[in-house]
Amino acid sequence: MIRLHHVAFSRSFRILWLLEEMGLEAEIRHYGLTDGSLRAEEYRSISPAGRVPALEIDGITIHESGAIVEYLCETRPEHGLGRLPGDPERVPFLEWLGFAETQASILASLNMQHLFMGDPSPASPAVLRLEAARLASTLKPMEAVMKKRDWLLPSGFSAADTMMGFNLFSAPYFVDFARFGALRAHIARIEARPAYVRAREKDGVQQFYSKPFYPVPEEA
Ligand SMILES: N[C@@H](CCC(=O)N[C@@H](CS)C(=O)NCC(=O)O)C(=O)O
């Protein structure tokens, strides 16, 4: 039995997509970011900080998307989606897993300030502008890579690409992708993968973005 603890359109999509790429059947347990379901005592025993993803598999429970990706790649090497110790791409593979969280922490900050922080604590336009610029600066190196090849690693598609499965779909809400043509082509390649399409069908309804773009508000 494999069970994924999941919020639609969140970091847990990374794992949902990777499971599909590996052809692994999983039960999906859905949660919401604002309905208190991640704060329940029972869920705290699965994910101590009440975050998704968490994965129950092989009789154990794992939280942290990077750790889950590594575990799945190491225990299911037959799918060739990891770059295991000894592989010449091991270091860039690990770097991309970490980079995904560098980028996602900025996305989380933008999500928090644009979507979840209302009055009496309005977000600061100066901070929002800085965070959007910081996000763009993490997209630039990805754009440079995608001008050279189809996937993050030279040898082809890997679980490093699925780690970006939340980031690349959230970033366009805050940064205009008109200047990132190679990344737009990359997103189109992702969307053409049958496993990605299956994962999106299981993802659930995205509940936080209510408009297509969140510009930096005017200074008061
Ligand atoms: N580093 C963690 C971050 C997990 C995380 O923060 N997930 C968000 C959804 S994208 C979450 O569960 N947020 C709930 C909250 O902050 O209360 C990972 O990669 O798994």
Side-chain angles (χ1 to χ4, degrees):
M1 187 280 293
I2 302 177
R3 182 182 294 135
L4 174 65
H5 299 266
H6 175 64
V7 169
F9 217 82
S10 78
R11 285 173 176 93
S12 50
F13 183 78
R14 297 165 169 171
I15 308 306
L16 182 53
W17 179 18
L18 182 56
L19 290 169
E20 286 296 330
E21 291 285 350
M22 290 182 163
L24 298 174
E25 267 306 313
E27 177 197 320
I28 300 168
R29 194 159 286 183
H30 292 267
Y31 298 80
L33 285 186
T34 53
D35 62 4
S37 52
L38 294 175
R39 303 284 163 262
E41 207 49 51
E42 188 199 347
Y43 189 63
R44 291 290 180 150
S45 65
I46 290 170
S47 173
R51 305 288 182 99
V52 289
L55 189 72
E56 295 178 60
I57 187 168
D58 302 337
I60 58 171
T61 304
I62 319 171
H63 56 90
E64 287 293 329
S65 58
I68 297 170
V69 165
E70 262 295 281
Y71 180 84
L72 286 172
C73 291
E74 285 173 18
T75 56
R76 274 90 178 154
E78 64 277 17
H79 300 288
L81 292 174
R83 300 296 183 267
L84 303 182
D87 189 297
E89 290 181 339
R90 174 72 174 168
V91 171
F93 176 74
L94 292 176
E95 284 175 338
W96 282 121
L97 297 194
F99 189 84
E101 273 304 274
T102 295
Q103 192 173 61
S105 65
I106 304 171
L107 286 163
S109 161
L110 285 162
N111 279 342
M112 182 65 73
Q113 295 179 72
H114 274 287
L115 309 173
F116 299 118
M117 254 176 67
D119 289 337
S121 308
S124 147
V127 173
L128 289 172
R129 187 171 304 106
L130 177 66
E131 288 292 61
R134 274 156 49 82
L135 178 59
S137 76
T138 65
L139 292 166
K140 279 186 202 156
M142 294 181 73
E143 170 78 4
V145 167
M146 287 310 152
K147 281 185 175 156
K148 291 188 276 185
R149 54 185 181 253
D150 284 356
W151 304 107
L152 290 171
L153 296 176
S155 63
F157 184 81
S158 73
D161 295 290
T162 69
M163 267 299 276
M164 299 299 173
F166 153 75
N167 306 24
L168 283 176
F169 296 90
S170 177
Y173 285 100
F174 305 114
V175 169
D176 183 356
F177 265 47
R179 63 181 144 143
F180 295 124
L183 274 180
R184 281 187 280 121
H186 179 58
I187 290 171
R189 272 191 297 279
I190 289 173
E191 288 173 335
R193 292 184 75 84
Y196 173 87
V197 173
R198 288 196 302 276
R200 271 291 173 231
E201 282 163 4
K202 296 179 180 176
D203 186 21
V205 180
Q206 181 281 111
Q207 306 221 320
F208 16 99
Y209 302 112
S210 58
K211 51 186 188 178
F213 190 70
Y214 289 80
V216 175
E218 297 291 323
E219 300 271 358

